[in-house]
Amino acid sequence: MKLLSIGGSNSKNSINRKFAKYASGFFESTENNSINVSEINLPIYSLDEEAANGIHPIAKSFAQSIDSCDLIIISLAENNGSYNVGFKNLVDWTSRIKERKTWGNKAMLLLSTAPGARGGLTVLEAAKNYYPRMGANIVGSFSLPKFQENFSEANGIINEELKKDFLHVIEKVKLALASTS
């Protein structure tokens, strides 16, 4: 199985990139690619920019990464109740590629985390409602609240109840993937 993991944040020290990487470790994969949004230098999407220069090559490359994977793992950062601007810009560009749905009808594990008690739940719910219309097959979702209190880079999720819930979601995703094989 080929995985694509994305931390939906343009922060150099993204907790969402860490969380997506952690989640990807629960899947046996032949290839695990990750997208570091903080390293993407993409002009802000506009119709004028597209008309002048066409679809940006970075968006085309991102679409190819989506097309070549079996499972997309995204952990969304929440900025003021919405998507991180760097990640949303990448998605906006990719959505403009003709004759494709942005997420390519791929299986998706949708995650979020944040320092606060809701763990990015607002942006997670928005994505759960919107991404299927963009070609996402969401096979599982999970929000990790209070990242700094509930996650350790050495041990992963350290709150036992949250870890139990997370592992339940992972098993659900594995079952969904097995049923489509």
Side-chain angles (χ1 to χ4, degrees), residues 41-47 49-50 85 89 92-93:
N41 187 10
L42 188 62
I44 294 174
Y45 177 79
S46 73
L47 289 173
E49 179 70 27
E50 181 183 353
V85 66
N89 189 45
D92 287 347
W93 271 105

Side-chain angles (χ1 to χ4, degrees), residues 7-73:
S9 169
N10 60 357
S11 170
K12 290 179 184 171
N13 298 310
S14 170
I15 61 177
N16 281 280
R17 189 169 46 256
K18 292 174 187 176
F19 193 37
K21 181 180 178 184
Y22 169 74
S24 69
F26 287 88
F27 297 90
E28 292 183 28
S29 62
T30 57
E31 187 177 320
N32 189 346
N33 293 318
S34 63
I35 304 288
N36 185 342
V37 177
S38 72
E39 295 175 350
I40 294 175
N41 187 10
L42 188 62
I44 294 174
Y45 177 79
S46 73
L47 289 173
D48 295 335
E49 179 70 27
E50 181 183 353
N53 299 305
I55 300 296
H56 199 281
I58 289 173
K60 291 177 183 178
S61 176
F62 181 59
Q64 289 172 345
S65 295
I66 291 168
D67 292 343
S68 68
C69 76
D70 301 303
L71 174 64
I72 303 168
I73 299 174

Side-chain angles (χ1 to χ4, degrees), residues 10 14-15 27 31 43 48 51 80 87 91 99 105 118 121 129 139 141 147 151-152 158 175 178:
N10 60 357
S14 170
I15 61 177
F27 297 90
E31 187 177 320
D48 295 335
N80 297 316
F87 177 67
V91 172
E99 299 178 16
N105 299 312
R118 290 183 38 83
L121 197 54
N129 288 321
V139 293
S141 66
F147 182 82
F151 190 89
S152 148
I158 53 179
L175 286 171

Side-chain angles (χ1 to χ4, degrees), residues 68-100:
S68 68
C69 76
D70 301 303
L71 174 64
I72 303 168
I73 299 174
I74 301 176
S75 185
L76 295 168
E78 184 174 288
N79 297 139
N80 297 316
S82 192
Y83 304 97
N84 170 272
V85 66
F87 177 67
K88 184 171 184 319
N89 189 45
L90 177 60
V91 172
D92 287 347
W93 271 105
T94 307
S95 75
R96 297 296 296 175
I97 299 172
K98 303 230 184 300
E99 299 178 16
R100 75 167 285 120

Side-chain angles (χ1 to χ4, degrees), residues 142 144-145 150 157 159-167:
F142 180 83
L144 179 66
N150 292 316
I157 298 173
N159 176 298
E160 289 303 318
E161 190 63 32
L162 289 170
K163 187 169 188 170
K164 179 182 167 189
D165 293 344
F166 174 78
L167 292 174

